[in-house]
Amino acid sequence: MSNVAPIHQRGHVAEQESAGTARVTEIRREADGVMGLVLTDPVGDRLPDWAPGAHIDLVLPDGTTRQYSLCGDRWDAHSYRVAVLREPSSRGGSAFVHDSLREGDLVGIGGPRNNFALVPAARYLFVAGGIGITPLLPMIAQAELLGADWNLLYGGRTRTSMAFLDELGRYGERVRVEPQDESGLLDLPAFLGEPREDTRIYACGPAPLLDALATAAACWPSSSVRTERFVARDRSDGGSDTSFELTLARSGRTIVVGRSETVLEAVAAAGVDVLSSCRQGTCGTCETTVLVGRPDHRDSILDDDDRQAGDCMFPCVSRAVPGDRLVLDL
């Protein structure tokens, strides 16, 4: 997403592919550089249901589309809440929200879709860095509702930059708030402890935090750890892409994907529309079924098991394994 981009396990919940319209009914400052938005249906209708970990596409009045995690009450059928961090290197989305968006404005929404679903477990360890707290808030509420054991480690640059501290305060000692200017870097090994089969780890935050978590959790089963990234993981290896054949199964047509174009671009040039949004392999909008062939996965969404299965891909970034061809359900 613009602030939260999914990477981990599939399992879409309450997925809606068509865009709708919502009204911004509340804008409030949640922390330094963080604005919270409440969105409702313009005529008061119900909004599509969602589950913890879901995000929406937010289509701003200037035409910019960004993805944001839903961080409000999943049981409130008439409003969504998202939080938007002002990004210093903003491509326009966060700057527009902070500087130009007003209460009463209409925005487009797509989704919700969920690439970060909360799986059942007796115990959860949540790790958040900065705006990465947003997808974890509904997960914490769900864990509380189900009576699961859980703890949260929440870091940020400064205490004033960390959103929703008041909201988290009601959970008492289950929440550890450790701003970097007060406590230094998060002590992830101490927080995680020894691996436990009944525990799932959910984390969201900037790349350095998630890389540190991967190191700290190296002795945990890979299925125990689920993470969500702000931006796409860098998977460049210095090599050059090669062209390959791609067959569109529904028409039987075979095309060639050039070395300098994406599968999404090649398919569009062949006259086939595939719904897409981020074009960075982070939002999951363009997920496509693979019928034949081995994808070269370059997304930041699928986990190792999904990659090994090879039955889907994200054509905005992924390609065929060199020397192979693909048949897609398009």
Side-chain angles (χ1 to χ4, degrees), residues 50-296:
W50 59 281
H55 69 274
I56 59 170
D57 301 321
L58 189 64
V59 185
L60 298 169
D62 68 347
T64 303
T65 300
R66 297 291 182 265
Q67 291 75 43
Y68 297 102
S69 293
L70 291 168
C71 60
D73 179 3
R74 65 168 297 197
W75 304 111
D76 180 353
H78 292 87
S79 71
Y80 288 159
R81 182 178 70 170
V82 298
V84 181
L85 171 70
R86 177 187 283 277
E87 299 171 341
S89 57
S90 172
R91 293 174 296 156
S94 70
F96 186 93
V97 169
H98 281 256
D99 298 336
S100 302
L101 197 65
R102 298 290 182 265
E103 292 182 358
D105 285 351
L106 293 177
V107 295
I109 56 172
R113 59 181 62 87
N114 199 337
N115 301 305
F116 195 37
L118 186 70
V119 300
R123 180 173 178 260
Y124 298 99
L125 295 176
F126 298 111
V127 179
I131 197 65
I133 189 62
T134 51
L136 302 185
L137 289 175
M139 294 186 181
I140 290 170
Q142 184 78 355
E144 276 282 291
L145 180 66
L146 297 176
D149 186 17
W150 66 271
N151 290 95
L152 166 69
L153 180 61
Y154 181 15
R157 298 187 318 279
T158 64
R159 191 173 294 270
T160 58
S161 71
M162 299 169 68
F164 305 112
L165 292 182
D166 290 345
E167 190 170 315
L168 290 166
R170 67 176 182 267
Y171 296 121
E173 295 182 356
R174 287 188 181 274
V175 175
R176 288 170 51 182
V177 176
E178 298 190 1
Q180 187 172 347
D181 64 340
E182 298 176 18
S183 307
L185 296 177
L186 298 178
D187 188 348
L188 294 170
F191 178 69
L192 298 181
E194 295 298 319
R196 288 177 45 170
E197 291 185 0
D198 66 344
T199 302
R200 295 292 179 268
I201 300 167
Y202 279 82
C204 183
L209 171 64
L210 299 186
D211 292 342
L213 177 68
T215 299
C219 58
W220 286 72
S222 60
S223 60
S224 297
V225 183
R226 291 167 166 78
T227 58
E228 182 167 82
R229 292 180 179 262
F230 295 160
V231 295
R233 176 184 289 167
D234 181 9
R235 295 187 177 275
S236 61
D237 57 8
S240 59
D241 292 326
T242 59
S243 60
F244 63 94
E245 286 190 351
L246 170 69
T247 298
L248 307 174
R250 298 183 192 178
S251 66
R253 183 178 177 185
T254 296
I255 62 175
V256 175
V257 180
R259 59 187 302 176
S260 62
E261 65 179 340
T262 67
V263 173
L264 195 64
E265 290 168 342
V267 168
V272 177
D273 291 329
V274 177
L275 190 66
S276 65
S277 182
C278 73
R279 297 187 175 234
Q280 298 178 31
T282 60
C283 74
T285 306
C286 65
E287 181 175 348
T288 302
T289 298
V290 177
L291 301 176
V292 177
R294 296 174 297 157
D296 176 9

